[in-house]
């Protein structure tokens, strides 16, 4: 490790809702956190970062270690990638530049295969991990994030120079960072299984929220959309099974029930569509559809949702 062994240096690549929330939580827990920002650099440098949390109140980070370019950042032991998967090709050089030797790169993105798109563009010496965020957050203004519910992170090792024993050690260390910040964190023995589990929620709710321009509460209140959500969830469970991942018994129904009790929430794809940003259709739909199909399982409802989303995404750009 490059400095104080007990206190790894953490870099946030992409300080949007996810990067902002976890970065502020880690910094407030006493970690040495450095933030890479694009458009919001000036605002954050002047006014700091703020998380308005329904769970823990208002959290502010007044003096932010902020950078407009990766070249200015110190080398970090852990890099948390909070930017959208649609930007992975352009993010790779920044990640490589900000990484200390043997750094752990934790990809906090939705979808399947997001690590693969980064792996080939990063040095072999870097450890690549995946992180799945179970959290309701969104940006409300430059440098401001609203946190409505949850915050847990599931981590798994994707690839890199570590052997089996060390892999688990790195995953545990990563989980320990979040736990030290007061967040729930789980070490996942199988990252791909964890990603399929997250897709059971993301595929129906992200896509339908954008397509129907509806938040979770109205989607859960209407009998037609409820039926559609459950049918989509069941297809994803079948797709996962075809790919060799048996999800826990009753997992889809559990997520459905949890969403019923959640505060009304607009998933990230809803905001991407509203703000005319490209939606993460490749990682959340195209890659899982292709993986399931290759294993002999078509997901016709998921495919139809993807085709409709691809149309509105093209019209929107």
């Amino acid at each position: 490790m490059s400095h104080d062994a007990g206190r790894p240096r953490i870099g946030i690549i992409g300080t949007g809702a996810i990067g902002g929330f976890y970065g502020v939580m880690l910094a407030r827990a006493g970690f040495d956190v450095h933030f890479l920002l694009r458009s919001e650099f000036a605002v954050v440098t002047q006014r700091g970062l703020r998380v308005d949390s329904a769970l823990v109140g208002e959290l502010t980070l007044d003096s932010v270690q902020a950078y407009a370019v990766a070249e200015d950042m110190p080398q970090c032991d852990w890099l948390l990638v909070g930017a959208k998967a649609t930007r992975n090709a352009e993010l790779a050089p920044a990640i490589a530049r900000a990484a200390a030797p043997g750094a752990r790169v934790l990809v906090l993105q939705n979808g399947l295969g997001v690590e693969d798109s980064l792996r080939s563009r990063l040095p072999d010496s870097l450890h690549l991990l995946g992180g799945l965020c179970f959290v309701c957050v969104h940006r409300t203004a430059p440098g401001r994030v609203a946190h409505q519910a949850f915050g847990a992170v599931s981590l798994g090792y994707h690839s890199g120079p570590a052997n089996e024993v060390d892999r688990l050690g790195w995953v545990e260390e990563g989980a320990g960072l979040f736990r030290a910040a007061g967040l729930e964190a789980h070490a996942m023995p199988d990252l791909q299984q964890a990603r399929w589990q997250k897709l059971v929620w993301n595929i129906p709710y992200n896509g339908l929220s954008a397509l129907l321009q509806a938040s979770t509460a109205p989607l859960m209140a209407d009998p037609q959309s409820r039926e559609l959500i459950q049918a989509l969830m069941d297809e994803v469970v079948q797709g996962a099974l075809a790919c060799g991942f048996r999800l826990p018994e009753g997992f889809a129904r559990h997520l459905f029930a949890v969403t019923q009790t959640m505060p009304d929430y607009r998933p990230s794809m809803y905001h991407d569509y509203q703000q005319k940003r490209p939606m993460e259709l490749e990682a959340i739909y195209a890659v899982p559809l292709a993986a399931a199909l290759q294993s002999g399982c078509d997901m016709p409802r998921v495919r139809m949702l993807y085709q409709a989303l691809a149309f509105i995404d093209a019209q929107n750009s």
Side-chain angles (χ1 to χ4, degrees):
M1 208 166 271
S2 49
H3 38 95
D4 175 3
R7 193 164 170 262
R9 182 182 283 152
I10 301 171
I12 308 289
I13 306 287
T15 309
I18 291 285
F21 172 69
Y22 288 109
V24 167
M25 293 295 282
L26 289 161
R28 286 175 55 87
F31 288 103
D32 181 21
V33 186
H34 300 260
F35 296 84
L36 180 64
L37 297 117
R38 285 199 304 174
S39 53
E40 302 183 8
F41 174 75
V43 174
V44 170
T45 308
Q46 288 166 356
R47 298 188 210 153
L49 280 167
R50 187 161 129 198
V51 174
D52 302 304
S53 173
L55 274 66
V56 285
E58 189 182 296
L59 311 174
T60 50
L61 197 59
D62 291 323
S63 52
V64 179
Q65 302 186 100
Y67 310 86
V69 291
E71 284 71 21
D72 295 344
M73 290 178 80
Q75 292 197 317
C76 298
D77 305 300
W78 281 90
L79 288 170
L80 275 51
V81 183
K84 292 271 196 291
T86 47
R87 288 182 52 213
N88 277 356
E90 63 180 272
L91 288 175
I95 293 169
R97 174 65 195 79
R104 280 74 68 200
V105 179
L106 178 61
V107 183
L108 301 175
Q109 294 175 340
N110 284 324
L112 206 61
V114 290
E115 296 87 4
D116 301 339
S117 64
L118 275 174
R119 180 73 271 179
S120 56
R121 298 181 166 98
L122 292 178
D124 294 341
S125 59
L126 298 182
H127 302 274
L128 192 58
L129 295 87
L132 297 151
C133 306
F134 296 86
V135 64
C136 296
V137 286
H138 64 275
R139 274 175 70 258
T140 51
R144 286 190 63 172
V145 176
H147 171 225
Q148 286 175 270
F150 313 124
V153 184
S154 294
L155 294 81
Y157 195 95
H158 178 268
S159 56
N163 62 33
E164 284 304 317
V165 177
D166 291 343
R167 286 177 171 213
L168 208 55
W170 288 131
V171 174
E172 281 296 349
E173 183 183 307
L177 301 178
F178 293 100
R179 290 184 194 128
L183 296 158
E184 196 184 323
H186 307 277
M188 302 295 286
D190 191 323
L191 177 59
Q192 296 312 316
Q193 162 116 14
R195 288 207 162 277
W196 273 105
Q197 288 182 197
K198 182 83 191 284
L199 286 168
V200 175
W201 195 92
N202 268 326
I203 281 177
Y205 291 103
N206 256 302
L208 291 175
S209 76
L211 187 64
L212 304 177
Q213 284 299 288
S215 53
T216 54
L219 287 173
M220 293 303 280
D222 181 86
Q224 299 292 344
S225 51
R226 283 172 70 88
E227 204 175 301
L228 179 54
I229 289 162
Q230 290 185 320
L232 285 162
M233 284 182 154
D234 290 343
E235 277 192 3
V236 180
V237 171
Q238 289 307 310
L241 188 59
C243 293
F245 305 107
R246 183 179 291 280
L247 303 195
E249 195 60 43
F251 184 73
R253 292 296 170 266
H254 164 69
L255 288 186
F256 190 79
V258 166
T259 311
Q260 191 82 58
T261 64
M262 252 167 56
D264 189 22
Y265 180 60
R266 291 177 172 80
S268 59
M269 215 170 262
Y270 175 97
H271 295 288
D272 289 341
Y273 182 77
Q274 282 280 324
Q275 286 156 40
K276 295 195 181 300
R277 292 190 298 251
M279 296 190 286
E280 294 171 286
L281 301 184
E282 184 72 15
I284 297 179
Y285 296 93
V287 175
L289 278 163
L293 199 57
Q294 201 175 357
S295 301
C297 173
D298 191 18
M299 301 187 285
R301 287 184 181 85
V302 175
R303 185 172 301 281
M304 188 173 170
L305 178 55
Y306 168 58
Q307 289 163 329
L309 289 165
F311 176 84
I312 66 167
D313 193 42
Q315 299 290 309
N316 201 31
S317 61

